[in-house]
Amino acid sequence: MRLSKAQTFVITALNAVIIVLIALIFWSPFKISSSATGGNNGNDDGDNPTGGEIKQHEKLRPASAGACPEILRETRLMGNGDETVVSVYFRGGVSYIFGNATVKGLDFDVFGGFLCLVNGAGNILSFTYFDGAITSVGVVGGGYAVGAGEKLYFVDGGGKSVLCAQTDGNIVDVFVGNADKIAVITQPTRQSLRLTEYAVLDETWTAGNSTRIFTSRDLSYFDCYAFDGLYVVSARASSLPQYDALALFSFAAGGEPTAHYEGGAVENITRPFAVIPYDEGYLALVSRDGIAAIVTLDNTFSVYRSVTLGFEPDGGRLFFADGKYYACFERKEGALTYELDDKLNRVRVPEWDGLTVDRMSVIDGLTAVGERDGMAAVVPRGGRGATLDAREAVFYGGFLNSDGKTFVLSATGGSSLSKPTAGRDVYVVTVRNS
């Protein structure tokens, strides 16, 4: 079909308009910058509320100045949801932070498990990601064994990860007995646990002996210990409101477990909060008929002792630090912490009254960190502490830096920290030396 002169003119005019529009797009002053360390679109961190040049989020960045005089510097791991920590290790001045992100964005390329390395100056060095939420981490072979869902990883000191095994059930703990063997505890069902030994050879891990623990009660795992070729697994066994007890299962890997219970039904209902081994056996904090108590079992599970404290607890935590045992009970009237000896003689630590202890660290002397009256608190034994306005803060450990005390914590806000992007963020802060 032949075009008329009018049609030819219209088409020519439209082509000219298209050429002009393309030129405007290519020569527009509003450009998107790029960064070798970024990985999200430029609007993720809200740096461009009014237009203009859009900046890509910088992930591998230096620390910023502290938001309050007590904090020398701060590094915030930020995301578009809640970020929590599972374990933190300190090696050569570097913090190895293992945790979970609930949403992809900003610092996090995926949701789920991550490892972030932060050096002593607060600079973010790298991120590593895992397929699934991290539930447990253990030190092994110059690196770390990481349990995420039903996957077991080895991570070297530089943050490189290798998938080593697929497990039966979600991993609840990785127990490192020695350099060439670990035990992985999984929970296939609510009423069962399984311990499987793995022979560790570089990045090749081979499953070996396995023991399954099964009860008619729901099991909430506490910890695992090894003595003279035997494992002991501790857990809470419950079917409320009729039954509650501390359960300890002893066995050789591959053999049948023997169950030992403290508590049970009716007048014996005992809610366990925490349990750790000590010189003569096992030490536990419990609530018996609603009243706080400290109990012990000997290594043969035949000798039992108990001390009742006369108040109603909401929870409890046990610590072994600087060669001593400490029991911290949470209660509505404020937390109480006791120093214990192996005979259950106890001395109250008044400077830690009201402090819900998250961690105890030997940092320039024994220091307890946790929450008091809605504020984060760093309190040395026998000395004055520092209080920070950090809301719903949870501490995960720290070390003595060249210019202060460095701590890893998470929080939902507060004037002592930079504002979280959404929900809970993770912070690495260096508190000035007093």
Side-chain angles (χ1 to χ4, degrees):
M1 181 181 73
R2 197 172 209 175
L3 297 175
S4 67
K5 289 182 178 180
Q7 289 172 319
T8 302
F9 174 80
V10 170
I11 291 172
T12 302
L14 288 173
N15 287 335
V17 170
I18 292 170
I19 291 171
V20 171
L21 289 174
I22 292 173
L24 285 172
I25 291 171
F26 275 96
W27 293 101
S28 170
F30 300 103
K31 297 178 291 181
I32 297 177
S33 64
S34 63
S35 168
T37 60
N40 302 296
N41 65 59
N43 246 351
D44 276 353
D45 56 0
D47 285 344
N48 187 47
T50 58
E53 184 175 355
I54 299 175
K55 295 181 180 179
Q56 197 165 27
H57 179 71
E58 183 182 0
K59 297 180 182 179
L60 307 186
R61 58 188 181 274
S64 59
C68 68
E70 293 82 5
I71 295 178
L72 178 63
R73 58 180 171 271
E74 170 198 293
T75 303
R76 175 163 59 101
L77 308 186
M78 62 185 79
N80 291 325
D82 286 326
E83 291 78 48
T84 56
V85 175
V86 176
S87 296
V88 178
Y89 297 90
F90 305 102
R91 178 188 293 181
V94 175
S95 300
Y96 290 72
I97 304 170
F98 293 89
N100 294 302
T102 57
V103 180
K104 174 184 176 181
L106 296 178
D107 284 341
F108 304 101
D109 290 344
V110 299
F111 71 89
F114 68 85
L115 164 63
C116 179
L117 271 58
V118 180
N119 70 12
N123 300 329
I124 299 176
L125 303 179
S126 66
F127 284 91
T128 302
Y129 299 99
F130 303 90
D131 183 13
I134 295 175
T135 53
S136 183
V137 184
V139 179
V140 60
Y144 304 93
V146 179
E150 296 184 348
K151 295 180 173 64
L152 184 62
Y153 295 86
F154 173 73
V155 180
D156 67 16
K160 176 188 173 184
S161 69
V162 177
L163 178 63
C164 295
Q166 188 86 20
T167 62
D168 172 24
N170 287 323
I171 298 170
V172 295
D173 196 8
V174 177
F175 176 80
V176 180
N178 52 53
D180 58 2
K181 184 170 66 176
I182 66 172
V184 176
I185 297 91
T186 60
Q187 185 148 23
T189 69
R190 289 172 56 185
Q191 298 176 334
S192 67
L193 297 166
R194 181 187 292 277
L195 181 144
T196 304
E197 290 184 328
Y198 284 82
V200 176
L201 179 61
D202 297 324
E203 296 175 355
T204 303
W205 296 1
T206 305
N209 293 326
S210 181
T211 291
R212 180 156 185 185
I213 299 166
F214 180 80
T215 75
S216 59
R217 319 287 182 180
D218 289 346
L219 292 174
S220 300
Y221 175 81
F222 280 133
D223 210 346
C224 176
Y225 329 100
F227 306 99
D228 300 326
L230 293 177
Y231 290 101
V232 176
V233 169
S234 61
R236 177 190 180 190
S238 63
S239 55
L240 298 180
Q242 294 87 6
Y243 187 94
D244 210 346
L246 168 65
L248 297 113
F249 304 93
S250 57
F251 55 92
E256 289 296 316
T258 301
H260 314 273
Y261 295 97
E262 172 50 38
V266 196
E267 70 275 6
N268 291 322
I269 286 180
T270 300
R271 166 74 189 276
F273 298 124
V275 57
I276 60 174
Y278 82 117
D279 291 344
E280 297 183 11
Y282 304 90
L283 174 65
L285 304 187
V286 306
S287 171
R288 175 168 292 134
D289 293 327
I291 304 301
I294 303 172
V295 302
T296 63
L297 289 167
D298 75 337
N299 288 311
T300 67
F301 306 101
S302 59
V303 179
Y304 157 82
R305 290 182 295 168
S306 176
V307 174
T308 301
L309 302 181
F311 57 82
E312 298 181 5
D314 294 327
R317 300 179 185 185
L318 280 165
F319 304 93
F320 180 75
D322 202 23
K324 297 179 181 178
Y325 296 93
Y326 293 90
C328 177
F329 279 100
E330 302 163 28
R331 57 179 195 153
K332 293 182 177 64
E333 301 84 354
L336 294 176
T337 297
Y338 299 91
E339 177 189 311
L340 307 174
D341 65 16
D342 57 2
K343 303 301 182 185
L344 294 189
N345 297 314
R346 62 194 184 280
V347 177
R348 185 165 156 184
V349 185
E351 57 266 40
W352 293 341
D353 281 357
L355 177 68
T356 301
V357 180
D358 291 325
R359 289 290 188 279
M360 288 189 186
S361 302
V362 183
I363 303 177
D364 196 21
L366 181 61
T367 299
V369 291
E371 184 270 339
R372 177 188 276 159
D373 298 328
M375 309 274 276
V378 179
V379 187
R381 178 74 194 270
R384 296 180 60 186
T387 299
L388 305 173
D389 181 18
R391 304 297 172 173
E392 298 181 303
V394 180
F395 284 85
Y396 304 98
F399 65 97
L400 186 63
N401 215 325
S402 60
D403 52 1
K405 299 179 181 70
T406 296
F407 296 98
V408 178
L409 69 149
S410 67
T412 60
S415 62
S416 293
L417 303 170
S418 58
K419 183 180 179 181
T421 50
R424 177 175 293 273
D425 279 351
V426 177
Y427 298 82
V428 183
V429 300
T430 297
V431 179
R432 297 179 188 274
N433 286 323
S434 54

Short mmCIF file of all heavy atoms in Angstrom, two decimals, residues 242-264:
data_model
loop_
_atom_site.label_atom_id
_atom_site.label_comp_id
_atom_site.label_asym_id
_atom_site.label_seq_id
_atom_site.Cartn_x
_atom_site.Cartn_y
_atom_site.Cartn_z
N GLN A 242 -0.11 -31.52 83.48
CA GLN A 242 0.04 -32.68 84.36
C GLN A 242 1.48 -33.03 84.70
O GLN A 242 1.74 -33.66 85.73
CB GLN A 242 -0.61 -33.91 83.71
CG GLN A 242 -2.12 -33.83 83.55
CD GLN A 242 -2.53 -33.14 82.25
OE1 GLN A 242 -1.67 -32.83 81.42
NE2 GLN A 242 -3.82 -32.89 82.08
N TYR A 243 2.46 -32.63 83.84
CA TYR A 243 3.81 -33.18 84.02
C TYR A 243 4.85 -32.15 83.61
O TYR A 243 4.71 -31.44 82.61
CB TYR A 243 3.97 -34.44 83.18
CG TYR A 243 5.26 -35.19 83.40
CD1 TYR A 243 5.33 -36.24 84.30
CD2 TYR A 243 6.42 -34.85 82.70
CE1 TYR A 243 6.52 -36.94 84.52
CE2 TYR A 243 7.60 -35.54 82.91
CZ TYR A 243 7.65 -36.58 83.82
OH TYR A 243 8.82 -37.27 84.03
N ASP A 244 5.95 -32.07 84.40
CA ASP A 244 7.09 -31.21 84.05
C ASP A 244 8.30 -31.72 84.81
O ASP A 244 8.20 -32.02 86.01
CB ASP A 244 6.81 -29.75 84.41
CG ASP A 244 7.53 -28.78 83.48
OD1 ASP A 244 8.42 -29.22 82.73
OD2 ASP A 244 7.19 -27.58 83.49
N ALA A 245 9.44 -31.84 84.12
CA ALA A 245 10.62 -32.40 84.78
C ALA A 245 11.89 -32.04 84.02
O ALA A 245 11.86 -31.75 82.81
CB ALA A 245 10.51 -33.92 84.89
N LEU A 246 13.01 -32.07 84.75
CA LEU A 246 14.33 -32.03 84.13
C LEU A 246 14.70 -33.47 83.75
O LEU A 246 14.63 -34.37 84.59
CB LEU A 246 15.36 -31.47 85.11
CG LEU A 246 16.83 -31.61 84.71
CD1 LEU A 246 17.15 -30.82 83.46
CD2 LEU A 246 17.73 -31.19 85.87
N ALA A 247 15.08 -33.67 82.48
CA ALA A 247 15.43 -35.00 82.00
C ALA A 247 16.88 -35.02 81.56
O ALA A 247 17.33 -34.11 80.86
CB ALA A 247 14.52 -35.41 80.85
N LEU A 248 17.62 -36.05 81.99
CA LEU A 248 18.99 -36.26 81.54
C LEU A 248 19.10 -37.67 80.98
O LEU A 248 18.67 -38.64 81.63
CB LEU A 248 19.99 -36.04 82.67
CG LEU A 248 20.02 -34.62 83.22
CD1 LEU A 248 19.49 -34.60 84.65
CD2 LEU A 248 21.41 -34.03 83.17
N PHE A 249 19.66 -37.80 79.78
CA PHE A 249 19.77 -39.08 79.10
C PHE A 249 21.26 -39.39 78.92
O PHE A 249 22.00 -38.61 78.32
CB PHE A 249 19.08 -39.03 77.74
CG PHE A 249 17.64 -38.62 77.81
CD1 PHE A 249 17.28 -37.28 77.67
CD2 PHE A 249 16.64 -39.55 78.03
CE1 PHE A 249 15.96 -36.89 77.72
CE2 PHE A 249 15.30 -39.17 78.08
CZ PHE A 249 14.96 -37.82 77.94
N SER A 250 21.70 -40.54 79.43
CA SER A 250 23.11 -40.93 79.33
C SER A 250 23.23 -42.16 78.43
O SER A 250 22.41 -43.08 78.48
CB SER A 250 23.68 -41.23 80.72
OG SER A 250 22.92 -42.24 81.38
N PHE A 251 24.29 -42.18 77.60
CA PHE A 251 24.46 -43.28 76.65
C PHE A 251 25.80 -43.16 75.93
O PHE A 251 26.42 -42.08 75.90
CB PHE A 251 23.34 -43.24 75.59
CG PHE A 251 23.22 -41.93 74.87
CD1 PHE A 251 23.89 -41.70 73.68
CD2 PHE A 251 22.44 -40.91 75.40
CE1 PHE A 251 23.79 -40.49 73.02
CE2 PHE A 251 22.33 -39.69 74.75
CZ PHE A 251 23.01 -39.47 73.56
N ALA A 252 26.23 -44.26 75.37
CA ALA A 252 27.33 -44.27 74.41
C ALA A 252 26.72 -44.14 73.03
O ALA A 252 25.64 -44.69 72.75
CB ALA A 252 28.13 -45.55 74.52
N ALA A 253 27.36 -43.40 72.14
CA ALA A 253 26.81 -43.20 70.80
C ALA A 253 26.56 -44.54 70.12
O ALA A 253 27.43 -45.41 70.09
CB ALA A 253 27.75 -42.36 69.96
N GLY A 254 25.35 -44.73 69.63
CA GLY A 254 24.94 -45.99 69.03
C GLY A 254 24.23 -46.91 69.99
O GLY A 254 23.58 -47.87 69.57
N GLY A 255 24.33 -46.63 71.30
CA GLY A 255 23.66 -47.46 72.30
C GLY A 255 22.33 -46.89 72.73
O GLY A 255 21.91 -45.80 72.31
N GLU A 256 21.64 -47.62 73.61
CA GLU A 256 20.34 -47.19 74.11
C GLU A 256 20.53 -46.16 75.23
O GLU A 256 21.38 -46.33 76.11
CB GLU A 256 19.55 -48.39 74.64
CG GLU A 256 19.06 -49.32 73.55
CD GLU A 256 18.07 -48.63 72.63
OE1 GLU A 256 17.17 -47.92 73.13
OE2 GLU A 256 18.21 -48.80 71.40
N PRO A 257 19.72 -45.11 75.25
CA PRO A 257 19.84 -44.11 76.30
C PRO A 257 19.18 -44.56 77.60
O PRO A 257 18.16 -45.26 77.59
CB PRO A 257 19.12 -42.90 75.72
CG PRO A 257 18.08 -43.49 74.81
CD PRO A 257 18.71 -44.73 74.23
N THR A 258 19.75 -44.15 78.72
CA THR A 258 19.14 -44.33 80.04
C THR A 258 18.63 -42.99 80.51
O THR A 258 19.38 -42.01 80.52
CB THR A 258 20.15 -44.89 81.05
OG1 THR A 258 20.65 -46.14 80.58
CG2 THR A 258 19.50 -45.08 82.41
N ALA A 259 17.35 -42.94 80.89
CA ALA A 259 16.72 -41.67 81.26
C ALA A 259 16.77 -41.47 82.77
O ALA A 259 16.58 -42.41 83.55
CB ALA A 259 15.27 -41.65 80.79
N HIS A 260 17.03 -40.24 83.20
CA HIS A 260 17.04 -39.85 84.61
C HIS A 260 16.19 -38.57 84.72
O HIS A 260 16.45 -37.59 84.02
CB HIS A 260 18.46 -39.56 85.09
CG HIS A 260 19.46 -40.60 84.67
ND1 HIS A 260 19.71 -41.74 85.39
CD2 HIS A 260 20.27 -40.68 83.58
CE1 HIS A 260 20.62 -42.47 84.78
NE2 HIS A 260 20.98 -41.84 83.68
N TYR A 261 15.20 -38.60 85.61
CA TYR A 261 14.27 -37.49 85.72
C TYR A 261 14.33 -36.86 87.10
O TYR A 261 14.45 -37.56 88.11
CB TYR A 261 12.84 -37.95 85.45
CG TYR A 261 12.60 -38.43 84.03
CD1 TYR A 261 12.63 -39.79 83.72
CD2 TYR A 261 12.36 -37.52 83.01
CE1 TYR A 261 12.43 -40.22 82.43
CE2 TYR A 261 12.15 -37.95 81.70
CZ TYR A 261 12.18 -39.30 81.42
OH TYR A 261 11.98 -39.73 80.13
N GLU A 262 14.25 -35.54 87.14
CA GLU A 262 14.08 -34.80 88.38
C GLU A 262 12.82 -33.97 88.23
O GLU A 262 12.76 -33.01 87.46
CB GLU A 262 15.30 -33.89 88.64
CG GLU A 262 15.14 -32.95 89.82
CD GLU A 262 14.67 -33.66 91.08
OE1 GLU A 262 15.11 -34.79 91.34
OE2 GLU A 262 13.85 -33.06 91.80
N GLY A 263 11.78 -34.36 88.98
CA GLY A 263 10.47 -33.75 88.83
C GLY A 263 9.47 -34.79 88.39
O GLY A 263 9.69 -35.99 88.58
N GLY A 264 8.37 -34.36 87.81
CA GLY A 264 7.38 -35.31 87.33
C GLY A 264 5.97 -34.78 87.43
O GLY A 264 5.68 -33.69 86.95
#
